[in-house]
Amino acid sequence: MAGWVDSGNAVQASVVALARELSDPVRLTALQLLAAEGPHTMVQLADAMGVSPPRLGNHLARLRAAGLVTVEHAGRHAVYRVARADLADVLTALARYAHQDGLAAPRRASSPVDVAHTCYDHAAGRLGISVFATLVDSGALIPPDGRAGELEPGPDPTALHRLGVDPAAVAPRRRLALACLDRTHRVPHLGGDLGRLVLDALVADDLVRRQEGTRELLVTERGAARLPELLPTFALPTDDRPTDDRPTDGRP
């Protein structure tokens, strides 16, 4: 009987090759952005990642050689996208694995900003991620596959209606929904005009409150009770649960 470690095994070799490419933070981040948010030019990717285009170019060339990204030339721009739609599932699974208790050492203390904050005009952090996951899991949105920038509506808008959002209220000339890679948690939260509508609805229902002068969103007592019903994957850490429901703008 042959041994389990077989250098000629195509499946084993493919997994090892993928792990090798994902082991570098620049290549991993580039793939995460492309898989979540869709095609980017090299300049867009470099700007989003905070690295120089020449440095990124070397990593993108390696990802191309590994068959993980493709490139198309549009005029003077080279547009990169993931080569396989199922790569998004692999990267999401790895990000979720990394958030399991005891894996990250040392773990920094959770902060309210980790729980909920704004990214442009939509919710980010655990709250924004839970919004995205709920809408995808319920069929309100088609999950991203890295091939396109805008998300398509799914067959069942019930979860949006439960959040108090009418998809028909999307502003003209704005894109409906985008997957926006969450900087901290490395899985998507909901962007686009639908993301704005969801956040506005959560604020109007007093489930969260904007904090003047900051990007932090405060989860109210009402939100702590109601949000897990609306968003099954959302839970407040014990230390972050609100102790009262008083306004936070200086009023008694």
Side-chain angles (χ1 to χ4, degrees):
M1 177 177 173
W4 284 98
V5 178
D6 178 4
S7 60
N9 184 297
V11 173
Q12 187 178 85
S14 179
V15 172
V16 169
L18 175 60
R20 185 180 299 118
E21 300 310 318
L22 298 183
S23 67
D24 182 90
V26 174
R27 293 195 293 276
L28 174 61
T29 301
L31 286 172
Q32 287 173 323
L33 279 165
L34 292 173
E37 299 183 6
H40 283 61
T41 66
M42 183 190 295
V43 172
Q44 289 172 328
L45 265 181
D47 183 61
M49 295 170 59
V51 300
S52 68
R55 180 186 178 194
L56 179 59
N58 292 332
H59 288 284
L60 289 175
R62 179 161 172 166
L63 292 174
R64 285 183 64 193
L68 295 174
V69 302
T70 62
V71 61
E72 296 177 3
H73 292 276
R76 297 169 55 190
H77 300 288
V79 180
Y80 289 84
R81 71 185 72 219
V82 293
R84 292 179 49 159
D86 55 2
L87 185 58
D89 295 332
V90 174
L91 297 171
T92 298
L94 289 173
R96 289 174 176 167
Y97 172 79
H99 280 89
Q100 293 185 49
D101 291 340
L103 287 177
R107 291 179 63 87
R108 63 187 179 89
S110 174
S111 74
V113 173
D114 290 334
V115 174
H117 63 274
T118 57
C119 175
Y120 299 103
D121 58 0
H122 53 267
R126 297 178 190 172
L127 176 63
I129 291 167
S130 294
V131 168
F132 184 87
T134 296
L135 296 182
V136 168
D137 292 346
S138 68
L141 286 176
I142 304 299
D145 63 7
R147 304 300 179 89
E150 185 169 347
L151 299 179
E152 296 292 332
D156 185 359
T158 303
L160 280 168
H161 296 155
R162 293 186 67 215
L163 289 169
V165 172
D166 177 7
V170 171
R173 300 182 182 179
R174 283 199 63 176
R175 288 189 285 182
L176 171 69
L178 305 172
C180 186
L181 187 69
D182 197 88
R183 182 183 295 271
T184 299
H185 300 282
R186 298 302 178 108
V187 288
H189 60 245
L190 179 65
D193 206 47
L194 201 57
R196 174 188 67 85
L197 290 173
V198 169
L199 178 55
D200 287 350
L202 297 179
V203 171
D205 200 21
D206 197 34
L207 302 181
V208 299
R209 294 176 185 163
R210 292 184 172 92
Q211 302 298 284
E212 186 175 354
T214 77
R215 295 171 55 212
E216 181 186 340
L217 294 169
L218 175 71
V219 177
T220 65
E221 281 194 352
R222 173 179 169 80
R226 179 74 174 136
L227 284 171
E229 299 175 3
L230 297 171
L231 308 170
T233 62
F234 181 75
L236 278 174
T238 303
D239 292 344
D240 293 320
R241 295 188 67 84
T243 56
D244 61 55
D245 204 23
R246 291 176 296 175
T248 59
D249 56 1
R251 292 176 294 177

